[in-house]
Amino acid sequence: MDYFVRLHPDGRQQLFFDLASKQLAKERGFLMLNTTFRMAVTLSFLAALGSCALHSSKTESISQSVLEPSLEVPALAENVTIMRDEFGVPHIFGPTDASVVFGATYARAEDEFHYMEQAYIKLLGRAASVSGPDWLPWDIFLRKLEIEDHSRQEYLNASAEIKALCEAFAEGMNYFLRTRPDIKPKLIMHFEPWHALVGYRLFHVSGIDDETQKQIGQPNILSAFSGYLSSTMWAIGPSKSASGHPMLFINPHIPLDAPYEMSLHSDEGLNVSGQLAYGIGILPISGHNGDAGWSITANSPDINDVYEETIVDGASGSYQYGGEILTTTRWTENIAVAGPDGIKQRKYNFEKTRHGPLFDGPGGKRLALRVAKLSKGGVLKQFFDMSKARNLAEFKRAIAPMNITYNNLMYAGQDGHIYYVYGGAIPKRNAKLDWSKPVDGSNPETDWRGFFSLADLPQIENPASGYLQNSNSSPFFSTDGTDLIETDYPAYMFRSERDTAIARRSRQLIAAEDRISLEQLSRFAFDTYLPTAAADIAKLNAEWVQSSSNNEKTEKEIKEALHILNEWDRRADADSVGAALYVTMFHMRDNDSAYPMINRLRRTTALLEKYYGDWRIPYGRFNRIRRAEHRGKINIPPSQHDLPSPGTPFYMGAIMTFNTKTEDGSSKSYGNHGHSYVSVVEFAPELKARSVMAYGQNRNPESAHYFDQARLYTQQKFKPVRFYEKAIVKAALKTYRPGQKN
């Protein structure tokens, strides 16, 4: 008989029999471990952490005996077909929605299993058990948020439809591992259905803003996982489209290796093509279903609050709320930490109030963090409904719950509509209070009063300008002539919204055209024009007339460099000498010189000559793209995986965002973030779509699809996106069922 032991908040161990877990163990041959700190006791042994069977000297042999998977082919696998095109993009066909999720998960695991696993390890708060003590603060933070408990509960409460998708995800991952014994997981030897919902809680975690992190004493805690988020998206309406059909531009600015592309085709109606990211998720977060499409960009709604609790008695955990004395909930968890001597367990005590988990603040203060809809979840359900929406009315119904806790949302479809909304699970609050700082948790006036409905949020539908755009910018700059007024909304609704350089360039680029074709939109998607260059070069010319120097060689070089800049087309293309000069000069600091711009240009030519032997070099000499594994190692051979690239950092305003990092000892800067996935879609009666990724579909350096899209990307070109079955079948280079040997 199988029992589970749970360490309860009061420190006592209580045995209880979990019939559901026992049944799953019988049916699937694995142990489903419970929340918080648990030990699954089967035949009086097996110590495990959370849902993960660990690779360690103490547990490996036990794990193998208990978790030995069945080699039976699941029914889902027998009914799914995977077709891969010339770029390795998987197109999944099956009779049910669950079947195509199963196939898509399996196909994705073929391409990036370890990247997927590391994402779930981190979101489960198990990173230190794999990566060591540097990740311990992250694990503690994630355990405080109770991601695992919330995800388990959401799964139990989910509809049969959503449960089926979660189960298909887990079965896809597990069947992949059963059929690929050469793939060795770092930690998770068996995936659970609720793990799918753990992945979607990245939206809740990444929505905890920098200021909130500082207030709870966890500055930059999230930078270890997601980094900074940015993106660009446009919707072109019929009145501005050369064909009369709406168009959509999808362009997430995230790590260059984060996106993954796929299409799913179910007889039950889940027909969707697009991109996922960060190794999590089971459905595209941006894409189209043939009739309608959507994109998202990060925004900054105020969706978290910090509460300063009035502790009455720390020993008992009592605290003040209005006229009541309440008691905190306490629990204990063991966190595994890998080190030179193996994995060690460390015990941590956690505590929460009615507002959320407690953190230690300055001066002995106890601060509780409340995160919008963290316990409810619902993100997968919203993406599922969005994927099936065939027109704007259905799309609005799909997003109305606002369970995607933050993100601007944009729509375009064959119904002729374009639409934008400043999305988010934004709480209604007492407007008299200052929500930018911790509020008094003992005061009931600080309670949230529900959430703003879709109708309450800033939004624009079919603007007279004929287009919409957003690049992490304020909703009040979404198009020309918008009638949105910021003062019509509570001040606490927004945090740091502004007009961005890329948003300004987007409006300039689109507004200048009466009608835009798909070809033009494709060119605009890779536009490298630098809006600040003209004014800066004008300043250079003015200073040149006034300045003088006794150094004849320097003056001759500056005159030549200035001539190059004057003849330059202001675009940051890889073969441009002008771009190399200007981008380098842009990053030079001013000094106290009487002629600061000329001085910056002098320092620019000197710097380039120092590193490259000549300052007359193309931009791509140092602005490069090269693929690195998620573990950080750069792969070789560089002749194949190292290319010159156009594009500039986001703050320079070019549409093609290419944020770079210079490695120690290198004179080159390599792209690591920005134009990661680029797609344009025209919603004609027969949909037309194109896309490209910075690298390729597969993370294995030996794969033909490891870096095969990079050359298209650096040439600012697209590959076709095939959505209709006839075209997919015709282009398929490989057709198989999950688990089938090729």
Side-chain angles (χ1 to χ4, degrees):
M1 182 174 289
D2 296 350
Y3 291 88
F4 293 83
V5 180
R6 176 167 60 187
L7 188 62
H8 278 256
D10 61 2
R12 294 172 298 170
Q13 291 183 333
Q14 177 182 352
L15 287 171
F16 66 94
F17 182 52
D18 190 323
L19 290 175
S21 296
K22 181 180 179 183
Q23 185 63 31
L24 282 170
K26 284 183 177 180
E27 293 176 356
R28 300 187 179 183
F30 66 92
L31 293 177
M32 183 179 187
L33 308 184
N34 266 319
T35 51
T36 328
F37 170 55
R38 283 109 169 132
M39 291 185 293
V41 181
T42 304
L43 304 177
S44 75
F45 62 83
L46 182 57
L49 178 62
S51 67
C52 307
L54 305 182
H55 286 296
S56 73
S57 57
K58 293 184 178 180
T59 62
E60 187 170 4
S61 60
I62 296 173
S63 299
Q64 292 298 322
S65 63
V66 176
L67 301 178
E68 186 64 31
S70 168
L71 296 178
E72 293 181 5
V73 178
L76 288 173
E78 295 176 342
N79 296 310
V80 170
T81 300
I82 301 171
M83 300 183 190
R84 290 192 185 259
D85 61 24
E86 69 270 36
F87 290 96
V89 176
H91 305 271
I92 319 300
F93 290 84
T96 65
D97 294 347
S99 71
V100 295
V101 166
F102 167 84
T105 302
Y106 184 95
R108 188 181 184 188
E110 289 183 297
D111 293 332
E112 57 175 18
F113 172 79
H114 288 299
Y115 183 65
M116 297 170 73
E117 186 199 18
Q118 62 85 28
Y120 288 96
I121 288 171
K122 289 174 182 175
L123 287 169
L124 283 164
R126 306 292 196 268
S129 65
V130 173
S131 302
D134 287 349
W135 280 90
L136 183 58
W138 166 274
D139 283 356
I140 294 171
F141 183 69
L142 266 286
R143 301 293 185 93
K144 284 191 175 190
L145 295 181
E146 297 182 281
I147 299 295
E148 180 177 329
D149 282 1
H150 295 320
S151 301
R152 285 177 177 273
Q153 195 60 48
E154 182 185 358
Y155 173 72
L156 291 175
N157 296 336
S159 67
E161 189 174 48
I162 296 301
K163 280 184 177 177
L165 299 183
C166 294
E167 290 159 6
F169 160 79
E171 190 60 48
M173 294 294 280
N174 294 330
Y175 187 54
F176 170 77
L177 289 175
R178 293 202 296 272
T179 58
R180 289 292 304 274
D182 57 310
I183 300 296
K184 307 298 182 185
K186 292 291 182 183
L187 183 71
I188 307 176
M189 297 177 65
H190 199 100
F191 285 80
E192 303 281 0
W194 54 268
H195 283 171
L197 304 175
V198 168
Y200 281 108
R201 276 181 170 75
L202 175 59
F203 282 87
H204 303 83
V205 175
S206 61
I208 302 172
D209 62 287
D210 292 345
E211 184 58 32
T212 297
Q213 293 173 49
K214 292 177 184 177
Q215 289 174 0
I216 60 174
Q218 304 286 314
N220 302 315
I221 188 70
L222 299 183
S223 62
F225 185 80
S226 61
Y228 57 104
L229 302 169
S230 62
S231 300
T232 298
M233 59 185 181
W234 306 332
I236 309 298
S239 66
K240 205 166 186 66
S241 168
S243 66
H245 304 302
M247 296 186 292
L248 187 66
F249 171 44
I250 300 170
N251 183 212
H253 297 171
I254 55 180
L256 297 186
D257 68 342
Y260 186 83
E261 186 176 23
M262 62 170 60
S263 73
L264 296 77
H265 306 270
S266 159
D267 294 343
E268 287 184 339
L270 181 59
N271 299 294
V272 60
S273 173
Q275 64 95 22
L276 301 85
Y278 291 111
I280 60 98
I282 61 179
L283 296 174
I285 57 175
S286 293
H288 69 85
N289 58 27
D291 294 320
W294 67 96
S295 186
I296 64 177
T297 64
N299 60 355
S300 299
D302 191 352
I303 55 175
N304 313 290
D305 283 316
V306 177
Y307 292 81
E308 184 179 335
E309 304 289 16
T310 301
I311 304 299
V312 177
D313 178 36
S316 65
S318 59
Y319 67 100
Q320 184 83 35
Y321 174 72
E324 303 176 78
I325 301 297
L326 305 180
T327 303
T328 61
T329 299
R330 292 173 170 175
W331 73 100
T332 300
E333 296 195 34
N334 275 15
I335 299 180
V337 183
D341 300 323
I343 294 177
K344 305 291 186 182
Q345 298 284 344
R346 301 185 189 181
K347 183 180 291 187
Y348 290 90
N349 298 318
F350 299 103
E351 191 173 15
K352 65 181 178 180
T353 68
R354 67 190 305 276
H355 297 117
L358 282 170
F359 296 82
D360 293 325
K365 294 178 180 178
R366 297 286 277 160
L367 303 173
L369 171 64
R370 188 170 187 185
V371 179
K373 299 191 177 181
L374 177 62
S375 60
K376 177 184 177 181
V379 178
L380 171 57
K381 168 64 172 169
Q382 184 166 327
F383 276 123
F384 179 67
D385 291 342
M386 289 164 62
S387 297
K388 287 201 165 186
R390 302 293 168 179
N391 53 52
L392 181 56
E394 292 180 5
F395 184 77
K396 286 183 177 180
R397 284 197 294 273
I399 66 174
M402 282 296 155
N403 290 328
I404 300 174
T405 54
Y406 72 98
N407 270 289
N408 300 289
L409 299 168
M410 194 168 285
Y411 167 96
Q414 285 193 12
D415 58 358
H417 295 295
I418 61 173
Y419 173 73
Y420 160 82
V421 62
Y422 182 87
I426 307 174
K428 293 182 177 180
R429 304 169 170 96
N430 184 333
K432 296 179 181 179
L433 301 177
D434 182 1
W435 294 94
S436 66
K437 301 174 182 178
V439 294
D440 182 0
S442 69
N443 182 0
E445 287 297 309
T446 62
D447 283 351
W448 289 354
R449 304 170 180 184
F451 294 88
F452 285 98
S453 69
L454 174 61
D456 296 328
L457 301 174
Q459 56 195 283
I460 304 173
E461 183 176 336
N462 301 325
S465 64
Y467 78 93
L468 293 162
Q469 69 78 33
N470 188 274
S471 184
N472 315 108
S473 45
S474 165
F476 309 106
F477 298 97
S478 297
T479 192
D480 296 318
T482 175
D483 57 2
L484 288 180
I485 302 173
E486 188 169 359
T487 54
D488 288 345
Y489 303 91
Y492 64 76
M493 182 177 280
F494 316 103
R495 282 201 304 248
S496 58
E497 309 302 329
R498 66 198 191 287
D499 195 13
T500 63
I502 297 176
R504 289 191 293 271
R505 175 57 181 162
S506 297
R507 294 195 303 272
Q508 180 189 61
L509 196 61
I510 299 171
E513 303 294 329
D514 292 330
R515 295 271 184 165
I516 298 173
S517 67
L518 183 61
E519 293 300 326
Q520 284 177 296
L521 190 66
S522 300
R523 291 196 300 273
F524 291 172
F526 280 102
D527 181 68
T528 60
Y529 182 83
L530 296 174
T532 58
D536 285 343
I537 293 171
K539 292 178 184 177
L540 273 171
N541 286 321
E543 287 188 11
W544 175 251
V545 172
Q546 301 172 36
S547 67
S548 62
S549 172
N550 296 324
N551 189 321
E552 185 176 336
K553 179 181 182 294
T554 301
E555 290 300 288
K556 183 178 179 181
E557 287 187 347
I558 295 302
K559 186 175 181 179
E560 182 183 354
L562 191 53
H563 174 74
I564 291 171
L565 287 170
N566 281 317
E567 295 296 314
W568 173 49
D569 62 4
R570 316 307 195 243
R571 298 185 182 279
D573 295 329
D575 61 356
S576 172
V577 176
L581 284 168
Y582 181 73
V583 173
T584 305
M585 186 182 73
F586 185 92
H587 291 93
M588 289 285 184
R589 294 183 179 180
D590 284 333
N591 56 20
D592 296 330
S593 168
Y595 305 105
M597 295 297 291
I598 291 294
N599 188 271
R600 284 165 66 183
L601 184 56
R602 284 196 182 100
R603 286 184 287 145
T604 293
T605 58
L607 182 68
L608 293 176
E609 188 160 346
K610 174 183 176 181
Y611 279 103
Y612 306 104
D614 192 346
W615 57 265
R616 305 164 189 83
I617 61 169
Y619 182 48
R621 177 75 176 277
F622 59 84
N623 199 68
R624 318 263 317 165
I625 184 170
R626 179 169 68 177
R627 184 160 196 177
E629 297 179 39
H630 74 268
R631 296 176 184 84
K633 291 193 301 183
I634 296 296
N635 290 297
I636 55 174
S639 59
Q640 295 178 18
H641 298 157
D642 191 332
L643 298 172
S645 180
T648 58
F650 70 95
Y651 48 80
M652 295 190 72
I655 301 302
M656 186 176 181
T657 296
F658 193 75
N659 303 308
T660 61
K661 181 179 180 180
T662 302
E663 297 171 20
D664 293 341
S666 173
S667 59
K668 299 175 182 178
S669 296
Y670 286 97
N672 64 346
H673 186 284
H675 242 49
S676 59
Y677 174 82
V678 193
S679 181
V680 292
V681 186
E682 182 176 54
F683 293 95
E686 183 168 327
L687 178 135
K688 301 174 183 177
R690 304 166 179 173
S691 73
V692 71
M693 297 197 303
Y695 299 143
Q697 286 285 126
N698 198 300
R699 288 179 179 272
N700 182 353
E702 297 178 2
S703 168
H705 306 302
Y706 179 74
F707 202 62
D708 59 333
Q709 295 186 45
R711 197 164 296 279
L712 281 176
Y713 177 90
T714 57
Q715 292 173 353
Q716 298 156 285
K717 296 178 180 179
F718 288 93
K719 63 177 182 59
V721 172
R722 301 177 183 94
F723 184 70
Y724 300 109
E725 184 174 3
K726 182 178 179 180
I728 292 171
V729 171
K730 184 178 180 180
L733 298 184
K734 184 178 178 182
T735 301
Y736 61 102
R737 296 193 187 282
Q740 178 181 334
K741 292 185 178 180
N742 299 288

